[in-house]
Amino acid sequence: MRQRAGYRRRRRSANLRYRARRSANRAHPDGWHPPSLRHRVDTITSIASRFCRYAPVTEIHIETTTFDTHSMSVGRQLYGSEYQQGALAGVGTRGYLCTRWSRTCAYCGAANVPLNIEHVRPRSHGGSARIANLVLACAPCNQAKGSRAVTTFLSHAPERSAEIVAQLKPSLRDAAAMNSIQPGLYRALHRLAVPIRPWPSKVTSDNRRAAGLDKTHTLDALAVEPLDQGRGDTIVRVPDRVLVIEATGRGSYARTTPDRFGFPRLRRERRKQHFGYVTGDLVRAEIPKGKRAGTWTGRVSVRARGQHSLTTPGGRINVSYLHLHLLQRADGYAYSSRQEAGASMSRKIG
């Protein structure tokens, strides 16, 4: 999605340098989310809707909490005016970086040269514009590093690389996303015609401590609803294995395949199904002979000629549709299971 957004920006700005930004003249309705956030709401709503169809769900309990991203970035709880005393209090980004790096290049130590603001983790690899991800770099180092990792670029200077990596902080993208989608998620779940019960995060943490459970998403879900300890309410069963559902999408809507400049290069076929299979189907391949002889299981990428591409643990292989057996139709999600890391073996396992 970031790549496609880059293509759109290039097309809008090419030979139109004086055109006003689209965001300045485009209004969105209340509750609107960009596609990168809307898919989270749609995914959760879709899974909840399936559970309501498959089982007699009478209530949906939600943990309502707001992540304090400022305190999370500092690493401790902030109070009052401390929120106004961050790293950039009373100084700009360039001024802070000049003081932090003594007006020298963070990569080579060059001084008295023009310095650029450099992203340690490149934007193309998911890096943000937080001050913890910025350093000063001279033009030669900035161009030489490009989109490479700083550890790779400074492999000859491990001490300088370690100093730069030490200032990096975990991304707060997921916490900010959850803060943004909570109202929309609450409204979307209300459309399922099932009572919604919101509870503060303090209830979850208190129940988890009382039951002696570790901090995991699965165990948090068990401890959302208030438990009356005086009446004997407690958590007696802990899952041993949990179902993992990952959104994989249902294909691309693009009509053409672009080149690296964003111009159409190939026209894509609109037909999605070939020889009874769709990209994303879970299949079992039984190859009778050849270098790939054996039984293989994985997701398939269909080809019009009938030689479909199968993803296996050892890589991708080409298999004729005659040797495939359908296990599960692609529905936009990938399913797997994993061991629950926080389950206490001293308790009942269910």
Side-chain angles (χ1 to χ4, degrees):
M1 294 180 67
R2 286 193 297 269
Q3 185 183 38
R4 291 168 60 186
Y7 291 156
R8 290 195 300 271
R9 293 191 186 98
R10 193 214 65 81
R11 289 195 297 267
R12 290 168 187 161
S13 61
N15 301 323
L16 297 170
R17 67 180 67 184
Y18 301 112
R19 175 180 177 179
R21 295 180 59 182
R22 266 188 99 190
S23 59
N25 57 13
R26 178 170 54 179
H28 298 297
D30 293 339
W32 178 89
H33 293 296
S36 58
L37 296 181
R38 188 178 63 197
H39 92 90
R40 298 181 181 232
V41 178
D42 294 341
T43 298
I44 297 174
T45 307
S46 175
I47 299 301
S49 176
R50 293 187 184 190
F51 287 157
C52 291
R53 294 199 305 268
Y54 300 157
V57 177
T58 58
E59 291 181 341
I60 297 178
H61 297 263
I62 302 179
E63 180 186 76
T64 59
T65 183
T66 301
F67 294 97
D68 190 347
T69 54
H70 196 170
S71 296
M72 293 171 63
S73 64
V74 175
R76 64 179 181 86
Q77 181 63 46
L78 300 179
Y79 300 95
S81 61
E82 290 182 331
Y83 284 97
Q84 304 174 5
Q85 304 299 322
L88 299 180
V91 66
T93 301
R94 179 172 288 274
Y96 171 82
L97 294 176
C98 287
T99 303
R100 169 69 177 80
W101 297 101
S102 302
R103 300 183 181 274
T104 60
C105 176
Y107 297 142
C108 66
N112 300 321
V113 296
L115 298 173
N116 301 327
I117 296 179
E118 156 75 4
H119 293 80
V120 178
R121 185 182 183 189
R123 298 293 298 275
S124 59
H125 293 173
S128 66
R130 293 176 63 192
I131 193 65
N133 192 46
L134 301 178
V135 296
L136 290 179
C138 60
C141 288
N142 194 358
Q143 296 177 2
K145 177 179 178 294
S147 60
R148 289 188 291 172
V150 64
T151 53
T152 303
F153 178 63
L154 294 180
S155 58
H156 61 282
E159 294 182 359
R160 188 177 292 272
S161 174
E163 181 184 2
I164 296 175
V165 172
Q167 78 167 18
L168 299 179
K169 296 181 179 180
S171 174
L172 299 176
R173 183 180 290 108
D174 291 335
M178 290 305 301
N179 288 343
S180 300
I181 69 173
Q182 276 196 25
L185 177 61
Y186 194 80
R187 290 192 297 267
L189 291 176
H190 261 297
R191 303 191 190 103
L192 300 178
V194 178
I196 308 297
R197 300 286 185 261
W199 304 103
S201 58
K202 187 178 185 303
V203 174
T204 303
S205 60
D206 291 344
N207 291 338
R208 194 180 62 249
R209 292 195 203 96
L213 300 178
D214 295 335
K215 169 64 176 175
T216 67
H217 293 300
T218 306
L219 300 181
D220 275 353
L222 292 176
V224 168
E225 184 181 5
L227 300 177
D228 190 350
Q229 305 293 336
R231 199 173 56 183
D233 293 345
T234 185
I235 299 174
V236 296
R237 297 180 64 86
V238 177
D240 182 32
R241 299 192 65 83
V242 295
L243 174 66
V244 180
I245 303 176
E246 179 183 2
T248 58
R250 294 179 173 84
S252 173
Y253 290 99
R255 298 296 300 271
T256 60
T257 299
D259 58 14
R260 64 191 183 95
F261 301 105
F263 292 100
R265 182 174 60 90
L266 296 175
R267 184 174 294 277
R268 297 184 178 181
E269 187 177 1
R270 298 308 299 163
R271 192 157 63 99
K272 297 288 186 179
Q273 189 175 33
H274 294 283
F275 300 95
Y277 297 95
V278 181
T279 296
D281 286 347
L282 181 64
V283 299
R284 183 179 67 251
E286 297 179 355
I287 305 177
K289 59 182 179 179
K291 185 174 65 174
R292 303 292 186 180
T295 302
W296 308 86
T297 302
R299 300 281 174 177
V300 67
S301 297
V302 298
R303 302 290 184 266
R305 65 181 184 274
Q307 283 292 115
H308 299 333
S309 178
L310 182 66
T311 302
T312 66
R316 302 186 69 88
I317 61 175
N318 292 328
V319 184
S320 172
Y321 73 95
L322 298 174
H323 301 150
L324 298 180
H325 301 276
L326 181 66
L327 300 179
Q328 182 187 29
R329 282 293 183 189
D331 60 352
Y333 300 95
Y335 304 93
S336 62
S337 63
R338 63 170 173 81
Q339 185 78 22
E340 174 52 49
S344 176
M345 301 307 295
S346 63
R347 296 179 176 274
K348 295 182 180 180
I349 304 297

